[in-house]
């Protein structure tokens, strides 16, 4: 269905991409972090150093969990619980964890905005996922609800700069995954984040010394929000 701008009747709104059918089952996907590549494991470890090593991490929309696998190996006392909407990446990750003998990283199918898991984690991590979620404010609330008191939520979110970038892509390079962003249906501002979460976010890129990296651009802000102890 053609993307329509907000204000359209709800039955005409853009559908999110089906990641299982259109990506994991349809392509020879490779392991890696979508934003920030191999740096993301170092950034996550730096975050641990700066705010304290969490006992538990909940990663939502983990995909191949590149950073999570690397950091789980380096921090064996931290339990990583990783979730994704696509069953095949969850199965592949379980197999990898088993093969590598990693007992502190666990995978399950779950999806935003209505997460089935109701556990709390010291760190909830959701990178390069909200771009693809329709009810983005409900999703943010669900993520923040899973943060234990004294813990943190780290996430990236879709904004108007990302929308401009998607719209400027040449026709042949348009990415179906970004149809919600292109239609402007799930964009958030910094003020929106504060309104939804009740706390002003701070820049994750700045905290982990990644501010000057190319991927830390205006179109891919990464932020973190503490939760009161
Ligand atoms: C671009 S990948 C990012 C993966 C990983 N977080 C990273 O940084 O590399 C987006 C992931 O989000 C998952 N996803 C998309 N919509 C989701 C939803 N509503 N709930 C949970 N996961 C979702 C996809 O299956 C995919 O694995």
């Amino acid at each position: 269905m053609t993307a329509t701008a907000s204000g359209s009747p709800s039955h005409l709104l853009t559908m999110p991409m089906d990641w299982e059918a259109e990506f994991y089952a349809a392509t020879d996907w490779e392991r890696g972090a979508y934003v920030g590549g191999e740096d993301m494991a170092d950034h996550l470890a730096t975050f641990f150093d700066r705010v304290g090593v969490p006992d538990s991490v909940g990663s939502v929309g983990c995909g191949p969990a590149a950073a999570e696998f690397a950091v789980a190996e380096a921090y064996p006392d931290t339990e990583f619980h990783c979730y994704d909407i696509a069953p095949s990446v969850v199965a592949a990750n379980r197999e990898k964890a088993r093969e590598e003998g990693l007992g502190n990283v666990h995978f399950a199918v779950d999806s935003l905005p209505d997460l089935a898991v109701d556990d709390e984690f010291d760190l909830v991590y959701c990178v390069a996922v909200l771009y693809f979620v329709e009810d983005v404010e409900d999703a943010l609330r669900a993520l923040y609800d899973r943060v234990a008191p004294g813990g943190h939520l780290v996430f990236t979110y879709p904004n108007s700069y990302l929308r401009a970038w998607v719209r400027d892509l040449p026709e042949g390079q348009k990415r179906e995954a970004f149809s919600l962003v292109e239609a402007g249906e799930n964009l958030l501002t910094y003020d929106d984040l504060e309104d939804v979460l009740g706390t002003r976010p701070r820049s994750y890129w700045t905290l982990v010394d990644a501010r000057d990296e190319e991927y830390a651009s205006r179109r891919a802000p990464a932020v973190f929000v503490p939760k009161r102890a």
Side-chain angles (χ1 to χ4, degrees), residues 16-20 23-24 32-35 40 59-68 83-87 89 110-115 125-134 139 156 177-178:
M17 186 173 104
D18 180 340
W19 278 83
E20 176 64 29
F23 184 70
Y24 291 110
Y34 190 79
V35 172
M40 293 308 270
S59 172
V60 181
C62 63
E68 294 87 332
Y83 306 94
D84 200 280
I85 198 171
V89 76
D110 208 345
S111 63
L112 291 166
D114 299 315
L115 289 174
Y125 185 80
C126 183
V127 171
V129 182
L130 294 177
Y131 312 148
F132 316 113
V133 177
E134 207 169 3
T156 60
F178 285 98

Side-chain angles (χ1 to χ4, degrees), residues 154-203:
V154 169
F155 62 100
T156 60
Y157 62 95
N159 65 10
S160 57
Y161 296 105
L162 183 64
R163 185 189 195 195
W165 174 78
V166 173
R167 289 178 124 182
D168 284 349
L169 287 173
E171 214 32 64
Q173 291 176 31
K174 294 265 188 214
R175 302 181 193 189
E176 202 223 318
F178 285 98
S179 55
L180 289 168
V181 174
E182 184 173 17
E185 288 177 18
N186 63 350
L187 307 184
L188 293 165
T189 65
Y190 225 79
D191 286 342
D192 292 335
L193 305 181
E194 186 173 6
D195 285 348
V196 172
L197 302 174
T199 307
R200 191 131 184 104
R202 289 171 54 198
S203 169

